[in-house]
DNA sequence: CTGAAAGCGCTAACAC
DNA sequence: GTGTTAGCGCTTTCAG
């Protein structure tokens, strides 16, 4: 690696002159600036980021902690975070917690030592289940800002970016009710998560409020990843009067549609299905799945904006929670 | 942030004593070590990684450049890379090239300044199309090691991790031939990529070698992401004798299956389909798609191993190319 | 206009 | 056993 010192030696000037020249300092003669820059370019000089960061106590790097990169929602969020961060001159260091509290803690510890200016994260499933967030508040205590997105915790005093999970499920349910559906089932493999609980509440509330709708709520909870298909198959066997499905996670909507067609339901005549899936699954379904669109790109972008705002004004004490409205996208699986 | 200096002051010893104590140096009395460690723990001291890296000229960080994180193959590769890197005590800085040569170049430039010890990357589509890899060889010239995975280039002298793309497609095609299929079509939306070209060659070779098989090759090339469905629909309309499909990218196999069922083919009786998809799509298909399994986790792991080996022995000059054998996984869409 | 010197936080050779 | 010093590469104040 070429250093300032080497440039200085070759040009017979001092290190500080070189440094200033490269920063277009007014103190330096145009001529010197010219010469310095020419040589720097020629030798492909790049300032050592470590040294600059150490000096400035500023890394221009954001730590991003993702619970599960194989979940398309998070992959897309990461995509958006990276894009916006790059645009704003920040790098990202990505850690994957794989839904484990221990890995989440490790990553926070490991990077909160000057490696990053702040964090953007979504809470690991395990952390949400055992509801222990000390490892996160410890970091906050050390004045390293954190933005939480999607999966958040009321116990943590941070900026947050969420979607209106309750409302989204509430509206989806109401839509099915307005279609005249009488037996609307909710399918979830995320009932341990904050977002899962909120979406379920929205569903329950919509059913409760609906006057001329007397069904009891039916909630299918799926624990293990692999068993979604079995559960849904089972559902169609045991509940033959089902005419509406709200799937509140990424994939079960698609699976439900698949199975419904297999069971010879005519969609959407016999049954309506609404999923929380991203558009990427649409190519796999026919008819096209109606979904609640989460505007994942906006979520990622907003997270970066919030964090950078916070970094630029650490003094500000009021926390902001930004809600990105989800939108019901009716396609081929609803009337 | 707590620093060595602060610890030293509180304990009335020198900074170097503290440093040594924390490293269990033999020079320091057990008693002092005890006291230092106790205070360090109490104050939650963490060595500033920037300073350590600067001092050691070693960051223990790997730069990972991913062409498209929304592609499940790359998400899974990233998953594997992160996992293995963490295991070996390395962090990763993730950059997304979004298939653009310019972003790839930016990322390499930005991080090859002491931020990372080396790179793991897969080449952007644009870079493969215009076949300009100077920005990569420039980094190599600066003695920053790079491991290429999946999409590689013959022009670059680096360690590589690839799958046996030619063989995989060759075998898949031969399998369909052995089933007695007479009109086997290849579908590709990645014909610009090195891996796409190799897979296509494998298909062509298998057809050519087959003695009692007289069909001409049929290759459907899809350019735009959104048009896969249309193209496949079209295919079934114009080529009604098709009885075999090899889809060489991540998604078109699933789409082909979907459409074939829609067109009332009985799968696998009337037609066999083999995709290059990951297991994650299986939940969306019925019958289950037969695939060529790419062992993506192994690819990621091997990439990290190769890079770390290289970092530990920069002198070694012989380049290694590791081939992770793909495996034909027959499921419900083949006989 | 240019240079010397201090310091970011850490390590390590070398005193004492 | 402990302390002093120099230096990683850079920025910045202050002197010249």
């Amino acid at each position: 690696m070429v250093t300032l010192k080497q440039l200085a030696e070759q040009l017979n000037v001092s290190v500080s002159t070189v440094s200033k020249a490269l920063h277009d300092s007014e103190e330096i003669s145009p001529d010197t600036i010219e010469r310095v820059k020419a040589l720097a370019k020629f030798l492909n000089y790049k300032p050592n980021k470590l040294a600059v960061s150490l000096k400035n106590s500023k890394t221009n790097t954001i730590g991003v902690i993702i619970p599960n990169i194989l979940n398309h929602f998070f992959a897309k969020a990461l995509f958006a975070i990276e894009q916006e961060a790059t645009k704003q001159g920040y790098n990202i260091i990505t850690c994957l917690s794989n839904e484990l509290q221990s890995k989440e803690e490790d990553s926070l510890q490991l990077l909160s030592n000057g490696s990053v200016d702040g964090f953007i994260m979504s809470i690991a499933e395990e952390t949400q289940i055992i509801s222990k967030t000390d490892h996160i508040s410890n970091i906050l205590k050390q004045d390293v800002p954190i933005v939480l997105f999607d999966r958040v915790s009321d116990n943590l005093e941070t900026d947050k970016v969420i979607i209106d999970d309750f409302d989204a499920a509430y509206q989806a349910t109401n839509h099915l009710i307005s279609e005249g559906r009488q037996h609307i089932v909710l399918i979830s493999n995320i009932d341990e998560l904050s977002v899962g609980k909120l979406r379920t509440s929205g569903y329950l509330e919509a059913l409760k409020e609906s006057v001329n709708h007397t069904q009891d709520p039916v909630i299918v909870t799926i624990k293990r990843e692999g068993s979604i298909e079995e559960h849904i198959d089972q559902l169609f066997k045991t509940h033959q009067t089902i005419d509406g499905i709200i799937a509140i996670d990424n994939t079960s909507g698609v699976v439900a549609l698949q199975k419904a067609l297999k069971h010879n339901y005519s969609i959407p005549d016999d049954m309506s299905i609404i999923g929380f899936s991203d558009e990427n699954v649409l190519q796999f379904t026919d008819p096209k799945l109606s979904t609640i669109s989460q505007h994942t790109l906006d979520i990622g972008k907003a997270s970066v904006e919030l964090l950078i705002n916070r970094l630029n004004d650490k003094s500000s004490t009021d926390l902001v929670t930004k809600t990105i409205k989800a939108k019901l996208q009716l396609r081929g699986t609803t009337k």
Side-chain angles (χ1 to χ4, degrees), chain A residues 43-308:
Chain A
L43 295 180
N44 192 19
Y45 166 79
K46 284 169 288 185
N48 183 311
K49 186 161 187 283
L50 260 39
V52 176
S53 296
L54 182 59
K55 181 69 192 170
N56 298 344
S57 304
K58 175 89 168 80
T59 62
N60 272 275
T61 301
I62 297 172
V64 181
I65 304 179
I66 298 286
N68 175 8
I69 192 63
L70 302 179
N71 178 326
H72 188 265
F73 169 77
F74 287 118
K76 197 162 181 180
L78 178 62
F79 172 84
I81 290 169
E82 201 272 351
Q83 184 162 292
E84 180 67 15
T86 300
K87 195 171 137 203
Q88 304 233 22
Y90 279 75
N91 276 117
I92 63 172
I93 290 195
T94 311
C95 299
L96 309 178
S97 66
N98 294 336
E99 307 288 12
L100 298 176
Q101 203 250 6
S102 59
K103 259 215 94 188
E104 192 171 82
E105 180 165 4
D106 288 350
S107 301
L108 286 167
Q109 282 295 330
L110 213 65
L111 296 184
S112 62
N113 59 357
S115 299
V116 301
D117 295 338
F119 290 96
I120 294 176
M121 66 183 289
S122 192
I123 300 180
E125 183 174 19
E126 189 185 46
T127 304
Q128 291 214 322
I129 291 175
I130 64 182
S131 195
K132 200 179 150 303
T133 52
D134 295 353
H135 58 303
I136 302 177
S137 42
N138 280 339
I139 303 297
L140 290 170
K141 255 182 236 154
Q142 296 164 45
D143 244 11
V144 179
I146 299 177
V147 172
L148 296 176
F149 74 94
D150 194 54
R151 302 188 197 159
V152 301
S153 163
D154 290 340
N155 301 325
L156 293 169
E157 304 199 328
T158 71
D159 295 327
K160 296 169 191 170
V161 179
I162 54 177
I163 73 164
D164 50 341
D165 290 290
F166 178 95
D167 272 4
Y170 177 82
Q171 279 175 38
T173 311
N174 268 336
H175 177 82
L176 295 195
I177 292 173
S178 76
E179 278 185 347
R181 301 303 182 183
Q182 292 299 320
H183 295 96
I184 304 167
V185 175
L186 180 133
I187 299 179
S188 162
N189 67 10
I190 54 168
D191 72 311
E192 307 268 28
L193 301 179
S194 54
V195 292
K197 293 190 171 69
L198 288 169
R199 292 172 197 174
T200 303
S201 308
Y203 160 78
L204 292 173
E205 181 65 19
L207 285 190
K208 200 169 113 192
E209 283 181 7
S210 164
V211 265
N212 42 15
H213 190 92
T214 54
Q215 77 154 106
D216 282 335
V218 178
I219 298 178
V220 177
T221 299
I222 300 163
K223 295 286 178 197
R224 290 177 305 103
E225 182 67 30
S227 62
I228 301 181
E229 293 182 78
E230 291 169 33
H231 269 80
I232 292 177
D233 257 334
Q234 199 59 38
L235 177 70
F236 285 134
K237 276 183 198 144
T238 54
H239 291 67
Q240 303 197 343
T241 55
I242 293 175
D243 56 6
I245 291 181
I246 312 261
I248 65 169
D249 64 89
N250 254 313
T251 53
S252 1
V254 186
V255 179
L257 171 57
Q258 201 74 21
K259 293 298 179 189
L261 293 169
K262 202 79 184 174
H263 282 256
N264 288 316
Y265 286 90
S266 166
I267 309 289
D269 291 338
D270 303 340
M271 182 190 297
S272 287
I273 302 177
I274 296 177
F276 260 79
S277 307
D278 187 82
E279 286 77 12
N280 75 312
V281 302
L282 294 181
Q283 61 181 328
F284 300 147
T285 78
D286 189 349
K288 297 299 168 210
L289 186 66
S290 296
T291 63
I292 289 153
S293 171
Q294 302 182 62
H295 301 298
T296 313
L297 299 179
D298 295 335
I299 294 174
K301 183 155 182 255
S303 303
V304 175
E305 286 168 349
L306 245 45
L307 182 62
I308 292 182

